[in-house]
Amino acid sequence: MADPKLKQAKNWGKEKCFQEAVKAVLDKGESQRHAAELYGVSRQALGPRVAKAKADRDEKVARAKAEIMAKASGPLGLNETRRVPDFWEFDRLYFGGLICPDCGVHHETPDFHRDMIGAVESDSRRVLINPPPYHSKSSLITVKHTIYDLVRNPNHRTIIVSASTDMAKSFVGQIQTWLEDPEVFEGSPRNLIEDWGPFKVDGQSKWNEQQFVISGRRSAEKDPSVQALGWGKKIYGKRADTIKFDDIADNDNQSNPEQVAKMQTWINKMALSRIGKTGKGIFVGTRISHGDIYSIMSQFPSYNWVRFSCILDDQTEQTLWPDHFPYSQALIHRDEMSAAEFQLVYQNVDIPGTGASFPPEMIEGCKDTHRPVGHHEPEWRVVAGLDPAG
């Protein structure tokens, strides 16, 4: 039966007709074509109005839900957090269905993962974590824990810095998938989007491959919730609560001491100045070379440095993560590398003098231990020099 109000449509203004047509589509399930005919409006003009009205309605629902969540734990102001479980319960609930692509099974949380998150959530403002390759450092710290920060506090801002912008974008893309695709939670006990979302409202334009702002954010700050950045890029004007430097070092940007010094200057003067005195800088990455940026940071007393060795005991064939990276796999990589390289990359052990043209034992062999330091023959001439090979 036709709606009695339709008889009045001929007496309404154009805007009123559009409003009623939009309501017919959203509230009564009418098709856009039929609603346009009933109210005498253009179907082409009705479509965008319906889309905008739906986006506005979704945004209001999301805002109302966020307010309800906030009231459940008291007023949610800037830097205040919701009542969410601790990280490990959060991980079990929402990522408990994850299957390892290499092993085809879901791995239980290894102890060293707990140690890494313990360092991330410590009171230290600077954290340096050096695990071996293939030990899920990025999935744990850069992806999962960033999502955890956003759920606890929708106002939280994170900058992800990698050796290249494309690599940083890949992390942002992974985070976005977890925040907008409910199918990824298949097999997990709970669905993050249903419990704490929506994080993205249809029609919202602030999401792209490099940055995004989540729905429900109550901060007046304009900086993105999460954004990607390649090292050395301009960072003026950007502010964040946390900067995560994930694999910022590679063979190209650590090729010589000048490159390392350049990166250190950018990190200290440019990047870390964006988080102020209350923000946190988290560095996670695999060692690249002797004298790399990680070796410099490890000497800073204010840095909470956590490192792990892949092989814990050769005699018992014990490894750091036996379920995922057994001793047999570690041997393959050890056979493919020099002893010094394996010690550095997989064991996180720096061997002094490794790679130098004149190693310590050669220098020691050239010393004249019978001559006092500073004494020389009268006919000798002292020439100052610097040996770059060392």
Side-chain angles (χ1 to χ4, degrees), residues 14 71 116 123 132 170 236 241 248 252 284 345 358 380 384-385:
K14 185 176 181 180
K71 290 178 181 178
M116 288 198 288
D123 293 333
S170 71
Y236 292 113
D241 302 295
I248 192 174
D252 292 331
V284 56
V345 176
F358 306 107
W380 288 10

Side-chain angles (χ1 to χ4, degrees), residues 47-225:
R49 289 173 180 255
V50 170
K52 184 178 184 305
K54 184 177 184 302
D56 291 343
R57 183 174 296 185
D58 289 344
E59 176 65 26
K60 289 181 181 179
V61 171
R63 191 180 298 114
K65 187 172 183 179
E67 291 175 356
I68 292 173
M69 291 289 188
K71 290 178 181 178
S73 57
L76 182 62
L78 299 184
N79 300 322
E80 292 187 7
T81 58
R82 294 166 165 171
R83 289 179 180 174
V84 298
D86 66 25
F87 177 79
W88 297 112
E89 178 64 9
F90 183 88
D91 180 60
R92 183 190 70 81
L93 289 174
Y94 301 112
F95 304 111
L98 277 178
I99 300 299
C100 174
D102 296 324
C103 306
V105 298
H106 174 76
H107 293 298
E108 295 300 322
T109 301
D111 290 340
F112 79 96
H113 275 195
R114 296 183 181 275
D115 294 336
M116 288 198 288
I117 292 299
V120 168
E121 296 191 334
S122 68
D123 293 333
S124 301
R125 295 298 179 188
R126 301 291 183 266
V127 177
L128 171 61
I129 302 175
N130 291 136
Y134 311 114
H135 281 65
S136 297
K137 64 185 187 304
S138 298
S139 297
L140 181 69
I141 296 173
T142 307
V143 177
K144 288 182 180 180
H145 200 270
T146 299
I147 294 172
Y148 183 60
D149 279 337
L150 289 176
V151 172
R152 283 195 300 178
N153 181 4
N155 301 319
H156 196 88
R157 300 162 299 172
T158 300
I159 296 177
I160 298 174
V161 182
S162 292
S164 68
T165 302
D166 286 342
M167 183 183 297
K169 285 180 180 179
S170 71
F171 295 132
V172 170
Q174 291 177 51
I175 295 170
Q176 288 177 338
T177 298
W178 285 104
L179 296 181
E180 64 178 331
D181 185 1
E183 293 185 1
V184 297
F185 296 99
E186 184 177 352
S188 295
R190 303 285 301 180
N191 185 306
L192 183 73
I193 300 173
E194 292 179 357
D195 287 353
W196 300 101
F199 300 97
K200 180 182 181 183
V201 176
D202 292 341
Q204 195 171 22
S205 61
K206 295 183 179 179
W207 283 50
N208 58 50
E209 63 179 1
Q210 191 161 350
Q211 63 183 37
F212 64 91
V213 176
I214 64 170
S215 177
R217 180 173 173 177
R218 301 176 60 158
S219 170
E221 300 292 345
K222 296 182 180 180
D223 300 292
S225 299

Side-chain angles (χ1 to χ4, degrees), residues 243-293:
I243 300 183
K244 293 183 176 179
F245 301 85
D246 191 307
D247 276 334
I248 192 174
D250 62 19
N251 289 322
D252 292 331
N253 60 40
Q254 304 292 292
S255 59
N256 57 62
E258 288 75 17
Q259 287 282 70
V260 176
K262 181 180 178 181
M263 175 176 285
Q264 184 181 3
T265 299
W266 182 84
I267 290 173
N268 294 339
K269 291 186 176 181
M270 302 295 294
L272 292 178
S273 66
R274 300 297 91 197
I275 55 177
K277 65 179 182 180
T278 59
K280 179 170 289 191
I282 300 170
F283 300 82
V284 56
T286 300
R287 292 295 306 275
I288 296 296
S289 60
H290 303 279
D292 60 17
I293 190 68

Side-chain angles (χ1 to χ4, degrees), residues 317-335:
E317 300 185 355
Q318 183 181 0
T319 60
L320 183 65
W321 196 2
D323 293 341
H324 174 67
F325 205 88
Y327 186 75
S328 58
Q329 183 64 36
L331 290 183
I332 293 176
H333 294 282
R334 187 161 69 178
D335 291 342

